Amino acid sequence: MRAGAPDEVLSGVCGWRPVVSSWLGGRLLAADVPVTQGRAVARSDQDIPERLTFAVPRYDGRDWRPGALADHPLARYGQELQLSIVVTSSATGREYETRVGRFLIVDWDDGDDGAIQVTAAGRLRRVEDAKLTSPTQPGTGATLMSEARRLLPPGMSAGFDPVLVDRPCPAGMAWSEDRLAALREIADAWPALLRTDEWGQVRFRRPLPAVPIPVLSLRDGARGTLASAGRSDTRDGACNQIVARSSAAGAADIQAVASQTTGPMSVTGEYGAVTRHWSSPLIATDAQALASAHTMLASSILPASSIPVMCAPDPRVDLDDPVEVLRDGERTWGWVTGYDLPLTVDDGDMRVDVGVST
């Protein structure tokens, strides 16, 4: 969970203001873009989880239409936007700033309503765009950490959860031209979760634990912020069995199978087996294969059974946060698999998707 205003401030009447600054490399182009409406959205099942859309007036102290200006704050020539939400306590006047993330501008549109519409994507978009010109091999002594850093485009850095244990990359393997696919393979093989943090740094997070310990409670009633909590479920993409193998030369016998054996998605029940095969040369032992299989199984099952929560906006909510949903006396624990955060008070409630293990 991100840092920010405490529950008692967010659950009452408070001030709310988005702060969007524009950067080109290390140069500040605009300290406070005048956002009139917009949303920051993230989904854990997307290759590039984060997306930012907003509107600005055509004229507000300056012309906010980029036109052909390559160094305009809203142009798409490498400009990045840093988004923060500033919440002000109505009781004390204290301000709390929550950094939400850093986004690469991908397009803008000058509509007929006098506003400029801007779309930006999370910084993994830079990784996706910067394809390698040819396949590449890990160097002598390369490890998962060193390869993750090497595969990032210039100007991007990686951070690693302290619980992740580094290990060597096998000799003789090669990466394709797709940098993002390579980073995802490293994350799956570790296993880890590939994310970006509020500063725009690529992060390899620890896998989700078997049982969530909530850091945030979304509740109705007095001092609560929850407006509604429905339920959704889908079979699409919901595998209940993962077969993980090593594709390294001479490692044909390294394989592990992770299966859902309880609940309505059990492989032995009426749901049936929905199997996904995955292989990587980074897998060197049966234990590594099993760890990867279990992580991918959890990632497959978790978003299938989801609680779409509508609540008062809370900029602290982040992907993978363990949360508690309390409505009408019913308590449910799960992890945040997506959110839709309004940027202004006129943009409505916030949606938080909470994945629940079955």
Side-chain angles (χ1 to χ4, degrees):
M1 187 172 75
R2 305 182 183 108
D7 292 345
E8 56 267 24
V9 172
L10 289 166
S11 62
V13 178
C14 58
W16 180 280
R17 180 172 63 93
V19 178
V20 176
S21 58
S22 174
W23 298 79
L24 185 60
R27 183 159 60 105
L28 178 64
L29 302 181
D32 196 352
V33 178
V35 174
T36 57
Q37 62 179 15
R39 306 193 78 89
V41 180
R43 288 184 56 87
S44 61
D45 59 355
Q46 301 293 318
D47 285 345
I48 304 171
E50 305 87 8
R51 186 175 181 85
L52 174 66
T53 58
F54 63 90
V56 299
R58 170 71 189 271
Y59 297 101
D60 188 331
R62 64 169 298 167
D63 186 353
W64 289 98
R65 184 181 187 275
L69 298 175
D71 61 349
H72 189 281
L74 301 183
R76 48 91 181 171
Y77 298 106
Q79 281 84 340
E80 292 187 350
L81 303 170
Q82 179 66 54
L83 169 65
S84 295
I85 300 293
V86 176
V87 175
T88 306
S89 169
S90 59
T92 66
R94 178 179 174 181
E95 291 188 343
Y96 302 86
E97 181 178 1
T98 299
R99 295 180 69 98
V100 177
R102 199 170 178 99
F103 303 83
L104 175 69
I105 295 178
V106 294
D107 62 57
W108 60 268
D109 179 68
D110 183 6
D112 295 331
D113 58 355
I116 309 298
Q117 304 291 332
V118 180
T119 301
R123 292 195 85 212
L124 284 178
R125 174 63 184 265
R126 283 196 177 274
V127 182
E128 182 183 62
D129 288 347
K131 300 290 194 297
L132 296 166
T133 57
S134 61
T136 181
Q137 289 183 296
T140 303
T143 66
L144 297 184
M145 286 186 182
S146 69
E147 282 299 280
R149 293 189 179 101
R150 185 180 72 86
L151 289 167
L152 285 172
M156 295 190 68
S157 61
F160 307 92
D161 192 290
V163 306
L164 298 177
V165 179
D166 200 11
R167 66 174 188 261
C169 291
M173 68 165 292
W175 304 110
S176 68
E177 294 89 347
D178 191 332
R179 294 180 194 257
L180 184 55
L183 291 180
R184 292 202 170 278
E185 184 171 351
I186 289 174
D188 287 339
W190 214 319
L193 301 174
L194 180 62
R195 301 286 187 258
T196 53
D197 63 17
E198 62 269 29
W199 300 91
Q201 182 185 48
V202 174
R203 298 287 303 180
F204 287 82
R205 295 180 181 172
R206 71 180 71 189
L208 298 179
V211 178
I213 301 176
V215 297
L216 182 66
S217 180
L218 304 173
R219 62 180 63 216
D220 59 6
R223 307 302 293 176
T225 64
L226 188 150
S228 67
R231 200 71 183 243
S232 67
D233 210 350
T234 181
R235 185 182 177 92
D236 292 342
C239 301
N240 59 0
Q241 185 166 259
I242 304 293
V243 180
R245 299 181 178 126
S246 174
S247 59
D253 294 334
I254 296 177
Q255 173 178 299
V257 180
S259 304
Q260 181 72 14
T261 57
T262 60
M265 288 182 63
S266 172
V267 293
T268 60
E270 296 301 323
Y271 188 87
V274 181
T275 306
R276 175 191 169 195
H277 292 266
W278 175 84
S279 63
S280 170
L282 297 175
I283 298 298
T285 66
D286 290 336
Q288 292 172 4
L290 185 60
S292 295
H294 277 300
T295 298
M296 284 185 278
L297 179 64
S299 297
S300 174
I301 290 177
L302 196 60
S305 182
S306 180
I307 302 175
V309 176
M310 300 302 295
C311 60
D314 187 340
R316 302 172 301 171
V317 174
D318 196 6
L319 292 179
D320 310 318
D321 281 348
V323 297
E324 170 192 60
V325 179
L326 183 60
R327 180 170 174 79
D328 296 332
E330 179 182 354
R331 188 187 309 270
T332 307
W333 287 3
W335 289 270
V336 175
T337 60
Y339 64 79
D340 186 338
L341 174 69
L343 301 189
T344 72
V345 293
D346 296 327
D347 290 327
D349 287 338
M350 178 180 188
R351 171 171 170 150
V352 179
D353 292 320
V354 180
V356 181
S357 296
T358 56

